[in-house]
Short mmCIF file of all heavy atoms in Angstrom, two decimals:
data_model
loop_
_atom_site.label_atom_id
_atom_site.label_comp_id
_atom_site.label_asym_id
_atom_site.label_seq_id
_atom_site.Cartn_x
_atom_site.Cartn_y
_atom_site.Cartn_z
N ALA I 273 -27.71 11.80 0.35
CA ALA I 273 -27.93 12.85 -0.63
C ALA I 273 -26.96 14.00 -0.39
O ALA I 273 -26.39 14.56 -1.34
CB ALA I 273 -29.37 13.35 -0.56
N ILE I 274 -26.74 14.32 0.88
CA ILE I 274 -25.81 15.41 1.21
C ILE I 274 -24.37 14.93 1.06
O ILE I 274 -23.53 15.62 0.49
CB ILE I 274 -26.09 15.93 2.62
CG1 ILE I 274 -27.49 16.55 2.67
CG2 ILE I 274 -25.04 16.94 3.04
CD1 ILE I 274 -27.96 16.89 4.05
N ASN I 275 -24.09 13.72 1.59
CA ASN I 275 -22.72 13.23 1.53
C ASN I 275 -22.25 13.03 0.09
O ASN I 275 -21.07 13.21 -0.20
CB ASN I 275 -22.60 11.92 2.30
CG ASN I 275 -22.62 12.16 3.79
OD1 ASN I 275 -22.50 13.30 4.23
ND2 ASN I 275 -22.80 11.11 4.55
N ALA I 276 -23.16 12.64 -0.80
CA ALA I 276 -22.77 12.47 -2.19
C ALA I 276 -22.29 13.80 -2.77
O ALA I 276 -21.27 13.85 -3.47
CB ALA I 276 -23.95 11.93 -3.01
N TRP I 277 -22.99 14.87 -2.44
CA TRP I 277 -22.56 16.17 -2.94
C TRP I 277 -21.20 16.55 -2.34
O TRP I 277 -20.32 17.07 -3.05
CB TRP I 277 -23.60 17.25 -2.64
CG TRP I 277 -23.26 18.54 -3.29
CD1 TRP I 277 -22.45 19.50 -2.80
CD2 TRP I 277 -23.65 18.97 -4.59
NE1 TRP I 277 -22.33 20.52 -3.70
CE2 TRP I 277 -23.04 20.23 -4.81
CE3 TRP I 277 -24.46 18.42 -5.60
CZ2 TRP I 277 -23.22 20.94 -6.00
CZ3 TRP I 277 -24.63 19.14 -6.77
CH2 TRP I 277 -24.02 20.37 -6.97
N MET I 278 -21.01 16.25 -1.05
CA MET I 278 -19.72 16.51 -0.41
C MET I 278 -18.60 15.77 -1.13
O MET I 278 -17.53 16.32 -1.40
CB MET I 278 -19.74 16.03 1.04
CG MET I 278 -20.73 16.75 1.90
SD MET I 278 -20.06 18.27 2.46
CE MET I 278 -20.96 18.48 3.95
N MET I 279 -18.88 14.50 -1.42
CA MET I 279 -17.87 13.69 -2.10
C MET I 279 -17.56 14.29 -3.48
O MET I 279 -16.40 14.36 -3.89
CB MET I 279 -18.39 12.26 -2.23
CG MET I 279 -17.47 11.33 -2.97
SD MET I 279 -18.26 10.77 -4.48
CE MET I 279 -16.86 10.75 -5.58
N MET I 280 -18.61 14.76 -4.18
CA MET I 280 -18.39 15.38 -5.48
C MET I 280 -17.54 16.64 -5.35
O MET I 280 -16.69 16.92 -6.19
CB MET I 280 -19.73 15.72 -6.13
CG MET I 280 -20.43 14.52 -6.74
SD MET I 280 -22.20 14.78 -6.89
CE MET I 280 -22.26 16.27 -7.85
N LEU I 281 -17.80 17.38 -4.27
CA LEU I 281 -17.03 18.61 -4.04
C LEU I 281 -15.56 18.29 -3.86
O LEU I 281 -14.68 18.89 -4.48
CB LEU I 281 -17.60 19.34 -2.82
CG LEU I 281 -16.84 20.59 -2.38
CD1 LEU I 281 -16.90 21.64 -3.47
CD2 LEU I 281 -17.44 21.16 -1.11
N VAL I 282 -15.28 17.27 -2.99
CA VAL I 282 -13.89 16.89 -2.77
C VAL I 282 -13.26 16.40 -4.07
O VAL I 282 -12.13 16.80 -4.43
CB VAL I 282 -13.81 15.80 -1.68
CG1 VAL I 282 -12.40 15.27 -1.58
CG2 VAL I 282 -14.27 16.36 -0.34
N ALA I 283 -13.98 15.55 -4.79
CA ALA I 283 -13.44 15.01 -6.04
C ALA I 283 -13.17 16.13 -7.03
O ALA I 283 -12.17 16.11 -7.76
CB ALA I 283 -14.40 13.98 -6.62
N SER I 284 -14.07 17.13 -7.08
CA SER I 284 -13.88 18.25 -8.00
C SER I 284 -12.63 19.03 -7.64
O SER I 284 -11.84 19.41 -8.52
CB SER I 284 -15.08 19.19 -7.96
OG SER I 284 -16.24 18.50 -8.34
N LEU I 285 -12.43 19.25 -6.34
CA LEU I 285 -11.24 19.98 -5.90
C LEU I 285 -9.98 19.20 -6.27
O LEU I 285 -9.01 19.78 -6.78
CB LEU I 285 -11.29 20.22 -4.39
CG LEU I 285 -12.25 21.32 -3.95
CD1 LEU I 285 -12.41 21.33 -2.44
CD2 LEU I 285 -11.74 22.68 -4.42
N VAL I 286 -10.03 17.88 -6.04
CA VAL I 286 -8.86 17.06 -6.39
C VAL I 286 -8.58 17.16 -7.88
O VAL I 286 -7.43 17.29 -8.31
CB VAL I 286 -9.09 15.60 -5.97
CG1 VAL I 286 -8.02 14.71 -6.55
CG2 VAL I 286 -9.12 15.48 -4.45
N TRP I 287 -9.63 17.14 -8.68
CA TRP I 287 -9.43 17.25 -10.13
C TRP I 287 -8.81 18.59 -10.50
O TRP I 287 -7.85 18.66 -11.27
CB TRP I 287 -10.75 17.04 -10.87
CG TRP I 287 -10.76 17.61 -12.25
CD1 TRP I 287 -11.44 18.68 -12.67
CD2 TRP I 287 -10.03 17.13 -13.39
NE1 TRP I 287 -11.21 18.92 -13.99
CE2 TRP I 287 -10.34 17.98 -14.46
CE3 TRP I 287 -9.14 16.07 -13.60
CZ2 TRP I 287 -9.80 17.81 -15.74
CZ3 TRP I 287 -8.61 15.90 -14.88
CH2 TRP I 287 -8.93 16.75 -15.93
#
Side-chain angles (χ1 to χ4, degrees):
Chain I
I274 296 171
N275 286 347
W277 187 274
M278 297 278 207
M279 177 245 142
M280 283 157 56
L281 176 63
V282 172
S284 299
L285 284 171
V286 169
W287 159 251

